[in-house]
Coordinates of all heavy atoms in Angstrom, one line a residue:
M1 N 195.6 113.3 45.0 CA 197.0 113.5 44.7 C 197.4 114.8 45.2 O 196.8 115.8 45.1 CB 197.2 113.4 43.2 CG 198.7 113.4 42.8 SD 199.0 113.1 41.1 CE 198.6 114.7 40.4
K2 N 198.6 114.8 45.9 CA 199.1 116.1 46.5 C 200.3 116.6 45.6 O 201.0 115.8 45.0 CB 199.5 115.9 47.9 CG 198.4 115.6 48.8 CD 198.7 115.7 50.3 CE 197.5 115.6 51.1 NZ 197.8 115.9 52.6
G3 N 200.4 117.9 45.6 CA 201.5 118.4 44.8 C 201.9 119.8 45.4 O 201.5 120.2 46.4
T4 N 202.8 120.5 44.6 CA 203.3 121.7 45.0 C 202.3 122.8 44.8 O 201.6 122.9 43.8 CB 204.6 122.1 44.2 OG1 205.5 121.0 44.3 CG2 205.3 123.3 44.7
C5 N 202.2 123.7 45.8 CA 201.3 124.9 45.7 C 202.2 126.1 45.5 O 203.1 126.4 46.2 CB 200.5 125.0 47.0 SG 199.2 126.2 46.9
W6 N 201.8 126.9 44.4 CA 202.6 128.1 44.1 C 201.9 129.4 44.4 O 200.7 129.5 44.1 CB 202.9 128.0 42.6 CG 203.7 126.8 42.2 CD1 203.1 125.6 41.8 CD2 205.1 126.6 42.1 NE1 204.1 124.7 41.5 CE2 205.3 125.2 41.7 CE3 206.2 127.4 42.4 CZ2 206.6 124.7 41.5 CZ3 207.4 126.8 42.2 CH2 207.6 125.5 41.8
L7 N 202.6 130.3 44.9 CA 202.0 131.6 45.3 C 201.8 132.5 44.2 O 200.8 133.3 44.2 CB 202.9 132.3 46.3 CG 202.8 131.9 47.8 CD1 203.8 132.7 48.6 CD2 201.4 132.2 48.3
N8 N 202.7 132.5 43.2 CA 202.6 133.5 42.1 C 202.8 132.9 40.8 O 203.5 131.9 40.6 CB 203.7 134.6 42.3 CG 203.5 135.4 43.5 OD1 202.4 135.9 43.7 ND2 204.5 135.6 44.3
I9 N 202.3 133.5 39.8 CA 202.6 133.2 38.4 C 203.2 134.5 37.8 O 202.6 135.6 37.9 CB 201.4 132.8 37.6 CG1 200.8 131.6 38.2 CG2 201.8 132.5 36.1 CD1 199.5 131.1 37.5
Q10 N 204.5 134.4 37.3 CA 205.1 135.5 36.7 C 205.7 135.2 35.4 O 206.4 134.2 35.2 CB 206.3 136.0 37.6 CG 206.5 137.5 37.6 CD 207.1 137.9 39.0 OE1 208.0 137.2 39.5 NE2 206.8 139.1 39.4
D11 N 205.3 135.9 34.4 CA 205.7 135.7 33.0 C 205.4 134.2 32.6 O 206.2 133.5 32.0 CB 207.2 136.0 32.8 CG 207.5 137.4 33.1 OD1 206.6 138.3 32.8 OD2 208.6 137.7 33.6
G12 N 204.3 133.7 33.1 CA 203.9 132.4 32.7 C 204.6 131.3 33.5 O 204.4 130.1 33.2
R13 N 205.4 131.7 34.4 CA 206.1 130.7 35.2 C 205.7 130.7 36.7 O 205.4 131.8 37.2 CB 207.7 130.9 35.2 CG 208.2 130.5 33.8 CD 209.6 131.0 33.6 NE 210.5 131.0 34.7 CZ 211.8 131.2 34.6 NH1 212.3 131.5 33.5 NH2 212.5 131.2 35.7
C14 N 205.7 129.6 37.3 CA 205.2 129.5 38.7 C 206.4 129.9 39.6 O 207.5 129.4 39.4 CB 204.7 128.1 39.0 SG 203.2 127.8 38.0
E15 N 206.1 130.8 40.5 CA 207.2 131.3 41.4 C 206.7 131.1 42.9 O 205.5 131.2 43.2 CB 207.4 132.8 41.2 CG 207.6 133.2 39.8 CD 209.1 133.1 39.4 OE1 209.9 132.9 40.3 OE2 209.4 133.4 38.2
V16 N 207.7 130.8 43.7 CA 207.5 130.8 45.2 C 206.6 129.6 45.6 O 205.3 129.8 45.7 CB 207.0 132.1 45.8 CG1 207.1 132.1 47.3 CG2 207.7 133.3 45.2
N17 N 207.1 128.5 45.8 CA 206.3 127.4 46.2 C 206.1 127.4 47.8 O 207.0 127.8 48.5 CB 206.7 126.1 45.7 CG 208.0 125.6 46.3 OD1 208.0 125.3 47.5 ND2 209.0 125.5 45.5
I18 N 205.0 127.0 48.2 CA 204.7 127.0 49.6 C 205.1 125.6 50.1 O 204.8 124.6 49.5 CB 203.2 127.2 49.8 CG1 202.7 128.5 49.2 CG2 202.8 127.1 51.3 CD1 201.2 128.6 49.0
N19 N 205.8 125.6 51.3 CA 206.3 124.3 51.8 C 205.1 123.3 52.0 O 204.1 123.7 52.5 CB 207.0 124.5 53.1 CG 208.4 125.1 52.9 OD1 209.0 124.9 51.9 ND2 208.9 125.8 53.9
G20 N 205.4 122.1 51.7 CA 204.4 121.1 51.9 C 203.5 120.8 50.7 O 203.2 121.7 50.0
A21 N 203.1 119.5 50.6 CA 202.3 119.2 49.5 C 200.8 119.4 49.8 O 200.4 119.1 51.0 CB 202.5 117.7 49.1
T22 N 200.1 119.8 48.9 CA 198.6 120.0 49.1 C 197.8 119.5 48.0 O 198.4 119.2 46.9 CB 198.3 121.5 49.2 OG1 198.6 122.1 47.9 CG2 199.1 122.3 50.3
L23 N 196.6 119.3 48.2 CA 195.7 118.9 47.2 C 195.4 120.2 46.3 O 195.5 121.3 46.8 CB 194.3 118.5 47.7 CG 194.3 117.2 48.5 CD1 192.9 117.0 49.2 CD2 194.6 116.0 47.6
K24 N 195.2 120.0 45.0 CA 194.9 121.1 44.2 C 193.8 122.0 44.7 O 193.8 123.2 44.7 CB 194.6 120.6 42.7 CG 194.4 121.8 41.8 CD 194.2 121.3 40.4 CE 194.1 122.5 39.4 NZ 193.7 122.0 38.0
S25 N 192.8 121.3 45.1 CA 191.6 122.0 45.6 C 191.9 122.9 46.8 O 191.4 124.0 46.9 CB 190.4 121.1 45.9 OG 190.9 120.1 46.9
E26 N 192.8 122.3 47.7 CA 193.1 123.1 48.9 C 194.0 124.3 48.5 O 193.9 125.4 49.0 CB 193.9 122.2 49.9 CG 193.1 121.1 50.5 CD 193.9 120.1 51.3 OE1 195.1 120.0 51.1 OE2 193.3 119.4 52.1
C27 N 195.0 124.0 47.6 CA 195.9 125.1 47.2 C 195.2 126.2 46.5 O 195.3 127.4 46.9 CB 196.9 124.5 46.2 SG 198.0 125.7 45.4
C28 N 194.3 125.9 45.6 CA 193.7 126.9 44.7 C 192.6 127.6 45.5 O 192.3 128.7 45.1 CB 193.1 126.2 43.5 SG 194.4 125.7 42.3
A29 N 192.0 127.0 46.5 CA 191.0 127.7 47.3 C 191.6 128.6 48.3 O 190.9 129.3 49.0 CB 190.1 126.6 47.9
T30 N 192.9 128.5 48.5 CA 193.5 129.3 49.6 C 194.5 130.3 49.0 O 194.2 131.2 48.3 CB 194.1 128.4 50.6 OG1 195.1 127.5 50.0 CG2 193.1 127.6 51.4
L31 N 195.8 130.0 49.2 CA 196.9 130.9 48.8 C 197.3 130.8 47.3 O 198.0 131.7 46.8 CB 198.1 130.8 49.7 CG 197.9 131.1 51.2 CD1 199.1 130.6 52.0 CD2 197.7 132.6 51.3
G32 N 197.0 129.7 46.8 CA 197.7 129.3 45.5 C 197.2 130.1 44.3 O 196.1 130.5 44.2
A33 N 198.2 130.4 43.4 CA 197.9 130.9 42.1 C 198.0 129.8 41.1 O 197.4 129.9 40.0 CB 198.8 132.0 41.7
A34 N 198.8 128.8 41.4 CA 199.0 127.6 40.6 C 199.3 126.4 41.4 O 199.7 126.5 42.6 CB 200.1 127.9 39.5
W35 N 199.3 125.3 40.8 CA 199.5 124.0 41.5 C 200.2 123.0 40.6 O 199.9 122.9 39.4 CB 198.2 123.5 42.1 CG 198.3 122.2 42.8 CD1 198.5 122.0 44.1 CD2 198.1 120.9 42.2 NE1 198.5 120.7 44.4 CE2 198.3 120.0 43.3 CE3 197.9 120.4 40.9 CZ2 198.2 118.6 43.1 CZ3 197.8 119.0 40.8 CH2 198.0 118.1 41.8
G36 N 201.0 122.1 41.3 CA 201.5 120.9 40.6 C 202.9 121.2 40.0 O 203.5 122.2 40.0
S37 N 203.4 120.1 39.4 CA 204.7 120.1 38.7 C 204.6 119.2 37.5 O 204.5 118.0 37.7 CB 205.8 119.7 39.6 OG 207.0 119.9 39.0
P38 N 204.6 119.6 36.2 CA 204.6 121.1 35.9 C 203.4 121.8 36.4 O 202.3 121.1 36.5 CB 204.7 121.1 34.4 CG 204.1 119.8 34.0 CD 204.5 118.8 35.1
C39 N 203.5 123.0 36.7 CA 202.4 123.7 37.4 C 201.3 124.0 36.4 O 201.5 124.3 35.3 CB 202.9 124.9 38.1 SG 203.5 126.2 37.0
E40 N 200.1 124.0 36.9 CA 198.9 124.4 36.2 C 198.2 125.6 36.9 O 198.1 125.5 38.2 CB 197.9 123.3 36.0 CG 198.1 122.1 36.9 CD 197.2 121.0 36.6 OE1 196.0 121.2 36.5 OE2 197.7 119.8 36.6
R41 N 197.8 126.6 36.2 CA 197.2 127.7 36.8 C 195.9 127.3 37.5 O 195.2 126.4 37.0 CB 196.8 128.7 35.6 CG 196.2 130.0 36.0 CD 195.9 130.8 34.8 NE 197.1 131.2 34.1 CZ 197.7 132.4 34.4 NH1 197.2 133.2 35.3 NH2 198.8 132.7 33.7
C42 N 195.7 127.9 38.6 CA 194.5 127.6 39.4 C 193.3 128.2 38.6 O 193.3 129.4 38.3 CB 194.5 128.2 40.8 SG 195.5 127.3 41.9
E43 N 192.3 127.4 38.3 CA 191.1 128.0 37.7 C 190.0 127.7 38.7 O 189.5 126.5 38.7 CB 190.9 127.5 36.3 CG 191.8 128.1 35.3 CD 191.6 127.5 33.9 OE1 190.6 126.9 33.7 OE2 192.5 127.7 33.1
I44 N 189.7 128.6 39.4 CA 188.6 128.4 40.4 C 187.3 128.7 39.8 O 187.0 129.8 39.4 CB 188.9 129.3 41.7 CG1 190.3 129.0 42.2 CG2 187.8 129.0 42.7 CD1 190.7 130.1 43.3
D45 N 186.5 127.7 39.8 CA 185.1 128.0 39.3 C 184.1 127.4 40.3 O 184.3 126.3 40.8 CB 184.8 127.4 37.9 CG 183.4 127.7 37.5 OD1 183.1 128.9 37.6 OD2 182.7 126.8 37.2
V46 N 183.2 128.2 40.6 CA 182.1 127.7 41.4 C 180.9 127.6 40.5 O 180.7 128.4 39.6 CB 181.7 128.8 42.5 CG1 180.5 128.4 43.3 CG2 182.9 129.0 43.5
N47 N 180.2 126.4 40.6 CA 179.0 126.3 39.8 C 177.9 127.0 40.6 O 177.2 126.4 41.4 CB 178.7 124.8 39.6 CG 177.6 124.6 38.6 OD1 176.8 125.5 38.4 ND2 177.5 123.4 38.1
E48 N 177.7 128.2 40.2 CA 176.7 129.0 40.9 C 175.3 128.4 40.7 O 174.4 128.5 41.6 CB 176.6 130.4 40.3 CG 177.8 131.3 40.6 CD 179.0 131.0 39.6 OE1 178.9 130.1 38.8 OE2 180.0 131.8 39.7
C49 N 175.1 127.7 39.7 CA 173.8 127.0 39.4 C 173.5 126.0 40.5 O 172.3 125.8 40.8 CB 173.7 126.4 38.0 SG 174.2 127.6 36.7
E50 N 174.5 125.3 41.0 CA 174.3 124.3 42.0 C 174.3 124.9 43.4 O 173.5 124.5 44.2 CB 175.4 123.2 41.9 CG 175.2 122.3 40.8 CD 176.3 121.2 40.7 OE1 177.2 121.2 41.7 OE2 176.3 120.4 39.8
V51 N 175.1 125.9 43.6 CA 175.2 126.6 44.9 C 174.0 127.4 45.2 O 173.5 127.4 46.3 CB 176.5 127.5 45.0 CG1 176.5 128.2 46.3 CG2 177.7 126.6 44.8
F52 N 173.5 128.1 44.1 CA 172.3 128.9 44.3 C 171.2 128.4 43.3 O 171.0 129.0 42.2 CB 172.6 130.4 44.0 CG 173.8 130.9 44.8 CD1 175.0 131.2 44.2 CD2 173.6 131.2 46.1 CE1 176.0 131.7 44.9 CE2 174.7 131.7 46.9 CZ 175.9 131.9 46.2
P53 N 170.5 127.4 43.7 CA 169.5 126.8 42.8 C 168.5 127.8 42.3 O 167.9 127.7 41.2 CB 168.8 125.7 43.6 CG 169.8 125.4 44.7 CD 170.5 126.7 45.0
G54 N 168.2 128.9 43.0 CA 167.2 129.8 42.6 C 167.7 131.1 42.0 O 167.1 132.1 42.0
V55 N 169.0 131.0 41.5 CA 169.6 132.2 41.1 C 169.0 132.9 39.8 O 169.1 134.1 39.6 CB 171.1 132.0 40.9 CG1 171.4 131.1 39.6 CG2 171.9 133.3 40.8
C56 N 168.3 132.1 39.0 CA 167.7 132.6 37.8 C 166.2 132.4 37.9 O 165.7 131.5 37.2 CB 168.3 131.9 36.6 SG 170.0 132.2 36.3
P57 N 165.5 133.2 38.6 CA 164.0 133.0 38.6 C 163.4 133.0 37.2 O 163.7 133.9 36.4 CB 163.5 134.2 39.5 CG 164.7 134.6 40.3 CD 165.9 134.3 39.4
N58 N 162.6 132.0 36.9 CA 161.9 131.9 35.7 C 162.8 131.5 34.5 O 162.4 131.4 33.4 CB 161.1 133.2 35.3 CG 160.1 133.6 36.3 OD1 159.6 132.7 37.0 ND2 159.9 134.8 36.4
G59 N 164.1 131.4 34.8 CA 165.1 131.2 33.7 C 165.9 130.0 34.0 O 165.7 129.2 34.9
R60 N 166.9 129.8 33.1 CA 167.8 128.6 33.2 C 169.2 129.2 33.5 O 169.7 130.0 32.8 CB 167.8 127.8 31.9 CG 168.5 126.5 32.0 CD 168.1 125.7 30.8 NE 168.8 126.3 29.6 CZ 169.9 125.9 29.1 NH1 170.6 124.9 29.7 NH2 170.4 126.5 28.0
C61 N 169.9 128.6 34.5 CA 171.2 129.0 34.9 C 172.2 128.2 34.0 O 172.1 127.0 33.9 CB 171.4 128.8 36.4 SG 173.1 129.2 37.0
V62 N 173.2 128.9 33.5 CA 174.3 128.3 32.7 C 175.6 128.6 33.4 O 176.0 129.8 33.4 CB 174.3 128.8 31.3 CG1 175.4 128.1 30.5 CG2 172.9 128.5 30.6
N63 N 176.3 127.6 33.9 CA 177.6 127.8 34.5 C 178.7 128.1 33.5 O 178.7 127.5 32.4 CB 177.9 126.6 35.4 CG 179.2 126.8 36.1 OD1 179.4 127.9 36.7 ND2 180.1 125.9 36.1
S64 N 179.6 129.0 33.8 CA 180.8 129.2 33.0 C 181.9 129.5 33.9 O 181.8 129.7 35.1 CB 180.5 130.4 32.1 OG 180.4 131.6 32.8
A65 N 183.1 129.4 33.4 CA 184.3 129.5 34.2 C 184.4 130.9 34.8 O 184.4 131.9 34.1 CB 185.6 129.2 33.4
G66 N 184.4 131.0 36.1 CA 184.5 132.3 36.8 C 183.2 133.1 36.8 O 183.2 134.2 37.3
S67 N 182.2 132.6 36.2 CA 181.0 133.3 36.2 C 179.8 132.4 35.9 O 179.9 131.2 36.1 CB 181.1 134.4 35.0 OG 179.9 135.2 35.1
F68 N 178.7 133.0 35.6 CA 177.5 132.2 35.1 C 176.6 133.2 34.5 O 176.8 134.4 34.5 CB 176.8 131.6 36.3 CG 176.1 132.5 37.2 CD1 174.7 132.7 37.0 CD2 176.7 133.3 38.1 CE1 174.0 133.6 37.8 CE2 176.0 134.2 38.9 CZ 174.7 134.4 38.7
R69 N 175.6 132.7 33.8 CA 174.6 133.6 33.2 C 173.2 132.9 33.3 O 173.1 131.7 33.5 CB 175.0 133.9 31.8 CG 174.9 132.8 30.8 CD 175.2 133.2 29.4 NE 175.0 132.2 28.4 CZ 175.8 131.2 28.2 NH1 177.0 131.1 28.8 NH2 175.5 130.2 27.3
C70 N 172.2 133.7 33.1 CA 170.9 133.2 33.1 C 170.3 133.3 31.6 O 170.5 134.3 31.0 CB 170.0 134.1 34.0 SG 170.5 134.0 35.7
E71 N 169.7 132.3 31.2 CA 169.0 132.3 29.9 C 167.5 132.2 30.1 O 167.1 131.5 31.0 CB 169.5 131.1 29.1 CG 170.9 131.3 28.6 CD 171.4 130.2 27.7 OE1 170.7 129.2 27.5 OE2 172.5 130.4 27.1
C72 N 166.8 132.9 29.3 CA 165.3 132.9 29.5 C 164.6 132.1 28.4 O 165.1 132.0 27.3 CB 164.9 134.3 29.4 SG 165.5 135.4 30.7
P73 N 163.5 131.5 28.8 CA 162.7 130.8 27.8 C 162.1 131.8 26.8 O 162.1 133.0 27.0 CB 161.7 130.1 28.7 CG 161.6 130.9 29.9 CD 162.9 131.5 30.1
E74 N 161.6 131.2 25.7 CA 161.0 132.0 24.7 C 159.9 132.9 25.3 O 159.1 132.5 26.1 CB 160.3 131.0 23.7 CG 159.8 131.6 22.4 CD 160.9 132.0 21.4 OE1 161.9 131.3 21.5 OE2 160.7 132.9 20.6
G75 N 160.0 134.2 24.9 CA 158.9 135.1 25.3 C 159.3 135.9 26.5 O 158.7 136.9 26.9
L76 N 160.4 135.5 27.2 CA 160.8 136.2 28.4 C 162.2 136.8 28.1 O 162.9 136.3 27.2 CB 160.9 135.3 29.6 CG 159.6 134.7 30.1 CD1 159.9 133.9 31.4 CD2 158.5 135.7 30.3
T77 N 162.5 137.8 28.8 CA 163.8 138.5 28.7 C 164.4 138.9 30.0 O 163.7 139.0 31.0 CB 163.6 139.8 27.8 OG1 164.9 140.3 27.4 CG2 162.9 140.8 28.5
L78 N 165.7 139.0 30.1 CA 166.4 139.3 31.3 C 166.1 140.8 31.8 O 166.0 141.7 30.9 CB 167.9 139.2 31.2 CG 168.4 137.7 31.2 CD1 169.9 137.8 30.9 CD2 168.2 137.1 32.5
D79 N 165.8 140.9 33.0 CA 165.6 142.3 33.5 C 167.0 143.0 33.8 O 168.0 142.4 33.5 CB 164.7 142.3 34.7 CG 165.4 141.8 36.0 OD1 166.6 141.4 35.9 OD2 164.8 141.8 37.1
G80 N 167.0 144.1 34.4 CA 168.2 144.9 34.6 C 169.2 144.2 35.5 O 170.4 144.6 35.4
T81 N 168.8 143.3 36.3 CA 169.8 142.6 37.1 C 170.5 141.5 36.3 O 171.5 140.9 36.8 CB 169.1 141.9 38.3 OG1 168.3 140.9 37.9 CG2 168.3 143.0 39.1
A82 N 170.0 141.1 35.1 CA 170.5 140.0 34.3 C 170.4 138.7 35.1 O 171.1 137.7 34.8 CB 172.0 140.2 34.0
R83 N 169.5 138.6 36.0 CA 169.2 137.4 36.7 C 167.8 136.9 36.6 O 167.6 135.7 36.7 CB 169.5 137.6 38.2 CG 170.9 138.1 38.6 CD 171.8 136.9 38.7 NE 173.2 137.3 38.7 CZ 173.8 137.8 39.7 NH1 173.2 137.8 40.9 NH2 175.1 138.2 39.6
T84 N 166.9 137.8 36.4 CA 165.5 137.4 36.5 C 164.9 137.6 35.1 O 165.0 138.6 34.5 CB 164.7 138.3 37.5 OG1 165.4 138.3 38.7 CG2 163.3 137.9 37.7
C85 N 164.2 136.5 34.7 CA 163.5 136.6 33.4 C 162.1 137.2 33.6 O 161.4 136.7 34.5 CB 163.3 135.2 32.8 SG 164.9 134.4 32.3
V86 N 161.8 138.2 32.9 CA 160.5 138.8 33.0 C 159.9 138.9 31.6 O 160.6 138.7 30.6 CB 160.7 140.2 33.6 CG1 161.2 140.2 35.0 CG2 161.6 141.1 32.7
G87 N 158.7 139.3 31.5 CA 158.0 139.5 30.2 C 158.7 140.7 29.5 O 159.2 141.6 30.2
K88 N 158.7 140.7 28.2 CA 159.3 141.8 27.5 C 158.5 143.1 27.8 O 157.3 143.0 28.2 CB 159.3 141.5 26.0 CG 160.3 140.4 25.6 CD 160.3 140.1 24.1 CE 161.4 139.1 23.9 NZ 161.1 138.1 23.0
D89 N 159.1 144.2 27.6 CA 158.4 145.5 27.9 C 157.2 145.6 27.0 O 157.3 145.7 25.8 CB 159.4 146.6 27.6 CG 158.8 148.0 28.0 OD1 157.7 147.9 28.6 OD2 159.4 149.0 27.7
T90 N 156.1 145.6 27.6 CA 154.8 145.7 26.9 C 154.1 147.0 27.2 O 152.9 147.1 26.8 CB 153.9 144.5 27.3 OG1 153.8 144.5 28.7 CG2 154.5 143.2 26.8
S91 N 154.8 147.9 27.7 CA 154.1 149.2 28.1 C 153.6 149.9 26.9 O 152.5 150.6 27.1 CB 155.1 150.1 28.9 OG 156.2 150.3 28.1
S92 N 154.2 149.8 25.8 CA 153.7 150.6 24.6 C 153.2 149.7 23.6 O 152.8 150.1 22.5 CB 154.9 151.4 24.1 OG 155.9 150.5 23.6
T93 N 153.1 148.4 23.8 CA 152.5 147.5 22.8 C 151.5 146.6 23.5 O 151.4 146.5 24.7 CB 153.6 146.6 22.2 OG1 154.3 145.9 23.3 CG2 154.6 147.4 21.4
R94 N 150.7 146.0 22.7 CA 149.7 145.1 23.2 C 150.3 143.9 23.7 O 151.3 143.4 23.1 CB 148.6 144.8 22.2 CG 147.8 146.0 21.9 CD 146.7 145.7 20.8 NE 146.1 144.4 21.2 CZ 145.0 143.9 20.5 NH1 144.5 144.6 19.5 NH2 144.4 142.8 20.8
I95 N 149.8 143.3 24.8 CA 150.3 142.1 25.3 C 149.8 140.9 24.5 O 148.6 140.7 24.4 CB 149.9 142.0 26.8 CG1 150.6 143.1 27.6 CG2 150.4 140.6 27.3 CD1 150.1 143.1 29.1
L96 N 150.7 140.2 23.9 CA 150.4 139.0 23.2 C 150.3 137.8 24.2 O 151.0 137.8 25.2 CB 151.4 138.8 22.1 CG 151.5 139.9 21.1 CD1 152.7 139.6 20.1 CD2 150.2 140.1 20.3
P97 N 149.5 136.9 23.8 CA 149.4 135.7 24.7 C 150.8 135.1 25.1 O 151.0 134.7 26.2 CB 148.6 134.7 23.9 CG 147.8 135.6 23.0 CD 148.7 136.7 22.7
S98 N 151.7 135.1 24.2 CA 153.0 134.4 24.4 C 153.9 135.3 25.3 O 154.9 134.9 25.8 CB 153.8 134.2 23.1 OG 154.1 135.5 22.5
Q99 N 153.5 136.5 25.6 CA 154.2 137.4 26.4 C 153.7 137.6 27.8 O 154.2 138.3 28.6 CB 154.4 138.8 25.8 CG 155.1 138.8 24.5 CD 155.2 140.1 23.8 OE1 154.1 140.8 23.7 NE2 156.3 140.5 23.3
V100 N 152.6 136.9 28.1 CA 152.0 137.0 29.4 C 152.9 136.2 30.4 O 153.4 135.1 30.1 CB 150.6 136.4 29.4 CG1 150.1 136.3 30.8 CG2 149.7 137.2 28.5
L101 N 153.2 136.9 31.5 CA 154.1 136.3 32.5 C 153.4 135.0 33.1 O 152.2 135.0 33.3 CB 154.3 137.3 33.6 CG 155.4 138.3 33.4 CD1 155.3 139.4 34.5 CD2 156.8 137.6 33.4
P102 N 154.2 134.0 33.4 CA 153.6 132.9 34.1 C 153.3 133.4 35.5 O 153.8 134.4 36.0 CB 154.8 131.9 34.1 CG 156.0 132.7 34.0 CD 155.6 133.9 33.1
P103 N 152.5 132.6 36.2 CA 152.1 133.0 37.6 C 153.4 133.3 38.4 O 154.3 132.5 38.4 CB 151.3 131.8 38.1 CG 150.9 131.1 36.9 CD 151.9 131.3 35.9
H104 N 153.4 134.3 39.2 CA 154.5 134.7 40.0 C 154.7 133.7 41.1 O 153.8 133.3 41.8 CB 154.4 136.1 40.6 CG 155.6 136.6 41.2 ND1 156.7 136.9 40.5 CD2 156.0 136.7 42.5 CE1 157.7 137.3 41.3 NE2 157.2 137.2 42.6
R105 N 156.0 133.2 41.2 CA 156.3 132.2 42.3 C 157.4 132.8 43.1 O 158.4 133.4 42.6 CB 156.7 130.9 41.7 CG 155.5 130.1 41.2 CD 156.0 128.9 40.5 NE 156.7 129.3 39.2 CZ 157.6 128.5 38.6 NH1 157.9 127.4 39.0 NH2 158.1 128.9 37.4
N106 N 157.4 132.6 44.4 CA 158.4 132.9 45.3 C 159.1 131.7 45.9 O 158.4 130.7 46.1 CB 158.0 133.9 46.4 CG 157.9 135.3 45.9 OD1 158.7 135.8 45.1 ND2 156.8 136.0 46.3
Ligands
CA201 CA1 180.8 129.4 37.5

């Protein structure tokens, strides 16, 4: 379905439509801030988990609107990048069996 593509949203209203009907996906991926009549705000989300299958090494990727996050299985925790699951800091404690890292994979 094609509809109006809007350049701006001002005070919750869509302003300045671009000549010609476009698909929502085309409008929102390019110039549009909103699309359709009545207009709906463009919410562009990329499913990073599908685009980057290896984005969360050792963890599970969870897509969210405009972002994504990595969740770690029991016994692992996110490192400073918030992307990679690693064993909890064991430098000052004894390593328990449940905290041993799985074999490293690349
Ligand atoms: Ca996303």
Side-chain angles (χ1 to χ4, degrees):
M1 191 174 73
K2 293 194 170 188
T4 307
C5 189
W6 302 89
L7 275 177
N8 292 312
I9 300 175
Q10 211 151 38
D11 301 327
R13 285 164 41 170
C14 297
E15 307 270 358
V16 192
N17 69 67
I18 304 166
N19 284 336
T22 63
L23 293 171
K24 184 179 183 183
S25 57
E26 293 171 340
C27 170
C28 292
T30 55
L31 295 170
W35 178 89
S37 184
C39 67
E40 21 183 309
R41 183 180 293 269
C42 286
E43 283 177 18
I44 304 167
D45 180 53
V46 175
N47 187 341
E48 291 85 353
C49 305
E50 285 183 2
V51 178
F52 307 108
V55 71
C56 298
N58 301 330
R60 190 168 69 94
C61 179
V62 180
N63 183 45
S64 62
S67 186
F68 74 99
R69 67 180 188 277
C70 298
E71 289 184 347
C72 296
E74 187 79 26
L76 298 184
T77 189
L78 284 172
D79 74 357
T81 68
R83 298 277 164 79
T84 305
C85 293
V86 295
K88 290 183 176 134
D89 182 7
T90 51
S91 57
S92 60
T93 54
R94 288 181 48 172
I95 297 172
L96 301 172
S98 65
Q99 294 175 316
V100 172
L101 279 168
H104 188 72
R105 280 171 294 157
N106 279 323

